[in-house]
Amino acid sequence: VGTRSDIPSDTLQQCESDAYPVCPNALAPDNLTPSECECADRSSIRLGGVVHGITTDSFWDFIFAPAEQAAADFGVELEFDRLEPQDDEETLHLKMAFKILSLCQSGVDGIFVSVPSLRVEEAVLKCLELDVPVVTINSGFDFSKNATVASGGEKTSLAHHIGMLEYNAGYGGGERLIRAGATKLICVDHAPGVSVTFERCEGIKQSIIDANEKGAGLTYLGKVDVPKDSAATYKVLVEERVGEGGDWDGYGFLLCGVSQLNSFLRVKEDHPKAVAGSFDVSNEMYDAFLSGDILFGIDQQPYLQGYAPVALLTQIAHTKQTLLNHAIETGPSFVTSPPGPEQQACEGNIFEVCPTTPFEDMNNVGMGLQITGMVLFAVQALLSLFLMGWTYWYRQRSVVRMSQPEFLVLIAFGCLVMSLSIPPLAVEGAYRYVQDPYTGELTDEPDPSIAGADAACMAAPWLVGMGFVIVFSALFAKIWRVKMIYDGAVRFRRETVHARDVGLIMAVTFSVEVALLLAWQLVSPLRWERTVTSTDENGYPTESIGSCTADGAVPFIIPLLVFKALCLLYALYLCYITRNVPSDLAEGKWISFSVLSMFQTLVVGVPILVIVDEDNNAFFFVRVVVVFLICAAVTTLIFGPKVYKLHVSVVGRRKNFTAVSRISRRVSSSLRRASCLRHVDNLSNGISQSEFGDALGETMGGGGGGRRPTLERGNSNPFGSFRTDGSNSARASVLRNGSASNRRLVCTECRKKFPPHEMSRVNSVDAGPIGTQEDRFCKKVSFAEGNNDRPQSLGRLSRSSVLEDSDSAAGLGSSTEDQDPLHSSQENMEILKTSGIVSMTMGKLSSNAGEDSWISDDDDDSDEKEEAFADETPPEAETTAVGRNCEEESAPATAAESESAAP
């Protein structure tokens, strides 16, 4: 912003050619190219005003009001204070001088003054010495025209005088009274000692002198000084000057101000033939015109005397330019009849200008934040829709089927519903009632557009609540299902989870959430309200803030938050107690992470929302981020591992899997069957070690030309009859009917009943002949009861390990021939452990114990045999497989053994 005091001439010429741009406009007159002249900030221009009009003189109302209006129109700062009545005129003029000096010494850019006395003239000359532009108004024309001071080697004079030439106005008033028949004239002065009224009376006097020179024979009775606020004294003083009673026919009075009107009308009541004219006009004067009590009014247009000096001083401060005419005359203008009603109304209101409606900062959410919210909503909505379609498309694949497609769809749908709460958060409105464009006040007419904002206020909590219930119910149902199966496995009891059990969980959580939201909706729903936070001097709002509020919302918000927190805490507890369940069966790890992320987001987000409640931008952003983080975290954690397992982990590896799939099945089958006979200490039938090895090797499929033995389906004996061909029946019968009483067996199904870390204490009891049903069950035993060596737990052949190291597994196919089967199995296990083919964790449990259920069942369609093999177990059987055979077909023989079988 440039200042104009020290601008060189070339810059001044450039600014003149660019029409002196005013900020914020910085363009040349063509409104296209930037101006080379720096724009002027008018708000930095400071002006002052000092006049002799006191607070009780109504005439000056028509000067002060337009001066303030001009300052508002031009956007400048104005200091224009009205003085209180003083004991005498000298004291008033002294205060005026002090005020003028104070303003000029403070560095104002211009000042306008009235000059009623010599003391004020001295103060004005000091301002000229300080190089402050001065404009005189109303009075002081002669002084303004002639006053000069030496400043900087040059003479400086006052810029302009704005007002009426008082002498000329008095002269014209005298002429009109003479024409009305007055032969004896009196000047009534209500402000003795003021140069203005003195000049007016001198003008009347001169008009009489000039008329007498023409032989008129008129008499001038002089000037009578009257008080401003005493009608009785006024009447006495005027009657004393006339010196006679009667109707005062031929007497003419010129009132020096409109403030005398009411006092003179009381005089006129006793002397009706007197004629009078007055300086200035008012609505009361118009009534006097109609009644004939006043002949005319001399209008000096005080509105221009107040407005014009502010406009001129602003231009002087901005452009350093002045008008050529020193005196800008605003009168006299003789008014003899009242104007129209509209003009009277405007004059009565001092030509009031409707204030410009200021810009109101409504603190709406920024466009950038709204776009960000819509983008996050679109991302989450599209992701949810994609995952719903993905789940349906791959619903028959084991990786999806094991996770229950219906629950996956519910999770994706719940996240979609929750994300739908983001668009309503961006809906905002104005005021509930229509705002008057002129006064800024609210009317009684409702704004119809607010209905949409009200609906959006309650739509957000409904969508968030319903989405949360759907997502949480699906996650909770999955972890609850795992807990029931886990509890049944620990108690050696079959547990079946039906759809109605899961539906009941969802129904309960859904009912509680709907009940709370419905009560909130009916009792104290959120409504859009806008509150004015600041106004300007005219009462127009300059800043407001809108939000969804309700007087009784807190009693409903707190229970909703507490209900969600309790649900999440209980879900976290269930995730903790089922943490040891294999992830392939239960997805426990990912469910735990999902629930934990929801809980953490709420715990962190709710306090932040309370802190930023009064900042619309921050409040909107935090709500959007909270909703998006909950939805994105749940969908990523639940669906991410499945998508990766189905699409990413197999890409580029299908060629290797076919080559090693047969090897992996053979090795897995050998290891599983070898575990059924963990230790054989002695054979009572006297079979040699080599014969037993041959029989065992043939039975386990390690040698001979016979068919590989399998377990018969439906046989209650988990070690029951081997199916072999006739050539091998003799050797198979040796194993079936052996009578060694001290033989100790490990039931394969025991591995499904006991956690992996307890397998070292699991053995079978001494059994009778294998073909019998008596005394055949599994139990935990101490190391003192059985073999102190910790038995090796079965490993699961994971696809990733098989595919990553197929070369190291290629030579395992023949390692089981011509060797001791049990030794070969252990040796194979060590080789597989070393090569990475076997993952030493408990694998997925299948309901068919005799099938090769340890082989990975997430194969793709490139290996039809493997896919069919993996899909033999239906999903519902997988939920109840744990602990089935050993519990159904074996029972503790004694109470002590039953007690020892408990976990």
Side-chain angles (χ1 to χ4, degrees):
V1 177
T3 59
R4 306 300 177 183
S5 57
D6 299 320
I7 296 178
S9 59
D10 55 348
T11 304
L12 184 61
Q13 292 176 11
Q14 183 62 51
C15 290
E16 184 176 358
S17 64
D18 288 344
Y20 295 99
V22 178
C23 297
N25 178 34
L27 299 177
D30 60 3
N31 290 325
L32 295 176
T33 58
S35 172
E36 296 182 10
C37 176
E38 191 173 5
C39 67
D41 183 6
R42 284 181 174 174
S43 63
S44 64
I45 298 177
R46 179 168 164 258
L47 304 179
V50 180
V51 295
H52 63 274
I54 57 178
T55 56
T56 57
D57 192 344
S58 61
F59 166 80
W60 292 94
D61 295 343
F62 292 86
I63 291 180
F64 275 88
E68 297 289 346
Q69 181 62 52
D73 292 344
F74 286 93
V76 298
E77 180 183 354
L78 176 64
E79 293 186 27
F80 190 24
D81 298 327
R82 199 166 181 176
L83 298 176
E84 296 292 334
Q86 304 298 320
D87 295 336
D88 52 57
E89 296 294 329
E90 182 65 23
T91 303
L92 176 64
H93 299 162
L94 182 62
K95 288 190 174 184
M96 288 179 62
F98 283 137
K99 182 67 175 177
I100 292 171
L101 287 174
S102 175
L103 288 173
C104 292
Q105 291 172 354
S106 67
V108 293
D109 297 303
I111 187 172
F112 61 94
V113 298
S114 63
V115 186
S117 66
L118 291 175
R119 187 174 293 277
V120 176
E121 292 177 0
E122 294 174 356
V124 171
L125 293 176
K126 292 289 185 181
C127 289
L128 289 179
E129 293 177 359
L130 295 173
D131 200 22
V132 177
V134 180
V135 173
T136 57
I137 67 169
N138 187 263
S139 63
F141 169 72
D142 292 336
F143 167 76
S144 176
K145 181 175 62 175
N146 300 317
T148 57
V149 296
S151 176
E154 296 181 359
K155 289 185 177 181
T156 303
S157 61
L158 277 67
H160 294 289
H161 175 80
I162 303 172
M164 179 177 64
L165 299 181
E166 307 296 341
Y167 180 85
N168 294 341
Y171 189 93
E175 290 181 331
R176 286 183 174 262
L177 289 175
I178 293 172
R179 288 198 297 268
T183 58
K184 298 176 181 179
L185 281 71
I186 299 175
C187 182
V188 184
D189 186 3
H190 65 284
V194 177
S195 61
V196 173
T197 58
F198 176 78
E199 292 175 3
R200 291 173 180 175
C201 292
E202 287 297 311
I204 297 174
K205 180 180 177 181
Q206 187 63 41
S207 66
I208 295 174
I209 295 175
D210 292 345
N212 287 335
E213 289 178 354
K214 297 177 182 180
L218 305 177
T219 303
Y220 178 60
L221 298 180
K223 178 173 74 72
V224 56
D225 298 335
V226 294
K228 299 176 182 179
D229 54 359
S230 176
T233 304
Y234 182 97
K235 181 179 180 182
V236 170
L237 293 176
V238 171
E239 289 177 344
E240 286 179 355
R241 177 56 56 92
V242 172
E244 62 180 70
D247 55 8
W248 289 359
D249 185 17
Y251 281 87
F253 298 86
L254 184 60
L255 312 180
C256 287
V258 72
S259 59
Q260 303 179 35
L261 179 60
N262 292 329
S263 298
F264 179 79
L265 291 179
R266 295 182 63 178
V267 174
K268 186 73 182 290
E269 292 176 355
D270 296 336
H271 313 283
K273 294 292 184 71
V275 294
S278 175
F279 282 85
D280 309 321
V281 293
S282 64
N283 290 334
E284 293 80 3
M285 186 73 70
Y286 296 147
D287 295 336
F289 291 161
L290 297 176
S291 63
D293 294 329
I294 301 295
L295 296 179
F296 58 86
I298 305 175
D299 185 15
Q300 57 178 318
Q301 302 185 97
Y303 185 91
L304 292 179
Q305 294 182 16
Y307 194 95
V310 176
L312 289 174
L313 288 172
T314 299
Q315 294 302 321
I316 292 173
H318 182 193
T319 67
K320 306 300 182 184
Q321 295 181 355
T322 61
L323 300 177
L324 293 179
N325 295 334
H326 178 78
I328 301 174
E329 297 186 43
T330 61
S333 176
F334 292 89
V335 180
T336 59
S337 61
E342 294 81 3
Q343 181 69 14
Q344 291 188 46
C346 291
E347 290 181 356
N349 292 325
I350 317 177
F351 299 97
E352 183 179 6
V353 177
C354 296
T356 302
T357 304
F359 171 76
E360 180 180 357
D361 183 5
M362 290 191 169
N363 290 300
N364 289 328
V365 177
M367 183 57 64
L369 287 178
Q370 291 189 30
I371 294 175
T372 301
M374 295 303 103
V375 170
L376 294 179
F377 158 70
V379 169
Q380 182 58 49
L382 293 176
L383 179 61
S384 299
L385 292 173
F386 168 77
L387 293 175
M388 291 169 65
W390 180 88
T391 303
Y392 177 79
W393 184 261
Y394 292 103
R395 65 189 183 280
Q396 297 300 332
R397 302 300 292 273
S398 57
V399 67
V400 177
R401 191 175 64 251
M402 287 181 60
S403 300
Q404 293 79 45
E406 58 274 16
F407 288 137
L408 295 180
V409 171
L410 280 177
I411 292 173
F413 178 71
C415 290
L416 174 63
V417 173
M418 196 179 302
S419 66
L420 287 173
S421 65
I422 294 179
L425 297 179
V427 177
E428 296 178 298
Y431 293 92
R432 295 200 66 83
Y433 297 94
V434 177
Q435 188 179 19
D436 191 313
Y438 299 105
T439 64
E441 298 179 354
L442 297 179
T443 64
D444 296 332
E445 180 183 356
D447 187 351
S449 64
I450 298 301
D454 289 343
C457 285
M458 283 306 298
W462 271 99
L463 291 171
V464 171
M466 294 299 95
F468 173 84
V469 166
I470 296 173
V471 172
F472 174 79
S473 298
L475 294 175
F476 186 80
K478 290 173 70 68
I479 199 64
W480 179 261
R481 165 184 168 272
V482 174
K483 179 182 180 300
M484 295 180 66
I485 297 173
Y486 176 78
D487 291 344
V490 171
R491 294 191 299 268
F492 297 163
R493 180 181 302 173
R494 174 185 296 176
E495 293 290 351
T496 302
V497 181
H498 300 283
R500 64 176 178 270
D501 299 324
V502 176
L504 180 61
I505 295 172
M506 298 185 67
V508 171
T509 54
F510 189 84
S511 299
V512 173
E513 186 77 13
V514 169
L516 292 173
L517 288 172
L518 187 60
W520 186 7
Q521 179 78 54
L522 296 177
V523 175
S524 182
L526 292 176
R527 301 202 317 164
W528 179 260
E529 295 288 350
R530 179 166 292 279
T531 304
V532 177
T533 57
S534 64
T535 59
D536 64 359
E537 62 277 5
N538 297 313
Y540 280 84
T542 58
E543 185 176 4
S544 63
I545 185 169
S547 61
C548 295
T549 60
D551 295 336
V554 175
F556 297 98
I557 295 176
I558 292 178
L560 284 169
L561 294 176
V562 172
F563 171 68
K564 291 178 175 63
L566 292 177
C567 289
L568 294 174
L569 286 173
Y570 184 62
L572 287 174
Y573 167 73
L574 294 183
C575 292
Y576 175 77
I577 65 176
T578 59
R579 65 190 183 280
N580 290 326
V581 177
S583 294
D584 281 350
L585 176 67
E587 309 173 289
K589 177 175 66 175
W590 306 116
I591 297 175
S592 301
F593 286 161
S594 299
V595 176
L596 182 60
S597 68
M598 295 173 69
F599 182 76
Q600 286 180 330
T601 305
L602 289 177
V603 169
V604 175
V606 171
I608 295 178
L609 286 174
V610 174
I611 294 173
V612 301
D613 179 54
E614 295 184 358
D615 187 339
N616 270 7
N617 287 315
F619 193 62
F620 171 81
F621 181 73
V622 173
R623 287 185 293 176
V624 169
V625 170
V626 167
V627 173
F628 178 77
L629 286 180
I630 291 176
C631 298
V634 171
T635 51
T636 302
L637 292 172
I638 295 299
F639 288 91
K642 298 171 179 58
V643 174
Y644 178 85
K645 189 173 184 181
L646 188 59
H647 298 285
V648 180
S649 63
V650 179
V651 173
R653 303 179 181 180
R654 296 182 177 179
K655 296 180 180 180
N656 295 332
F657 182 76
T658 304
V660 299
S661 59
R662 294 184 180 180
I663 298 174
S664 63
R665 286 197 298 271
R666 183 174 181 182
V667 173
S668 177
S669 177
S670 177
L671 293 176
R672 175 170 47 78
R673 285 167 171 75
S675 65
C676 289
L677 300 176
R678 180 63 176 169
H679 298 288
V680 181
D681 298 328
N682 297 308
L683 297 176
S684 59
N685 289 341
I687 301 176
S688 65
Q689 182 68 26
S690 60
E691 292 176 336
F692 175 76
D694 293 339
L696 182 58
E698 180 178 339
T699 302
M700 292 302 159
R707 298 170 59 188
R708 198 173 71 167
T710 59
L711 290 177
E712 292 184 356
R713 295 183 182 276
N715 190 354
S716 61
N717 182 3
F719 303 96
S721 302
F722 290 103
R723 291 190 291 105
T724 65
D725 56 14
S727 61
N728 294 320
S729 60
R731 284 178 292 181
S733 63
V734 173
L735 294 177
R736 286 199 305 269
N737 300 320
S739 60
S741 60
N742 58 347
R743 184 177 57 211
R744 306 180 66 82
L745 303 177
V746 177
C747 176
T748 303
E749 296 298 326
C750 293
R751 300 185 184 279
K752 302 177 182 179
K753 290 173 52 176
F754 296 98
H757 63 276
E758 295 185 357
M759 286 300 297
S760 60
R761 302 186 61 192
V762 176
N763 270 325
S764 67
V765 300
D766 291 342
I770 296 179
T772 62
Q773 301 295 325
E774 294 81 6
D775 301 327
R776 189 177 296 114
F777 56 90
C778 302
K779 71 173 185 177
K780 286 197 298 184
V781 296
S782 65
F783 289 122
E785 294 178 302
N787 194 344
N788 291 335
D789 296 332
R790 295 178 69 89
Q792 178 65 56
S793 62
L794 288 178
R796 177 184 178 187
L797 291 177
S798 67
R799 171 173 307 181
S800 59
S801 61
V802 170
L803 298 180
E804 289 170 359
D805 202 348
S806 60
D807 294 338
S808 61
L812 295 178
S814 61
S815 63
T816 58
E817 294 194 18
D818 303 327
Q819 297 182 27
D820 178 67
L822 184 59
H823 176 73
S824 300
S825 301
Q826 296 171 343
E827 199 170 307
N828 286 343
M829 176 64 73
E830 296 300 326
I831 295 173
L832 293 172
K833 288 168 59 181
T834 304
S835 62
I837 292 181
V838 177
S839 174
M840 299 306 296
T841 58
M842 291 298 291
K844 185 186 71 174
L845 303 182
S846 172
S847 62
N848 298 321
E851 298 296 323
D852 291 331
S853 57
W854 300 99
I855 302 299
S856 175
D857 63 353
D858 54 1
D859 189 17
D860 57 7
D861 297 333
S862 64
D863 192 346
E864 297 178 357
K865 182 176 179 181
E866 185 66 12
E867 183 69 19
F869 180 78
D871 292 341
E872 287 182 2
T873 303
E876 60 271 18
E878 293 175 356
T879 63
T880 59
V882 180
R884 181 175 64 185
N885 289 344
C886 283
E887 176 165 334
E888 283 186 343
E889 301 170 7
S890 303
T894 63
E897 292 173 343
S898 177
E899 182 177 357
S900 66

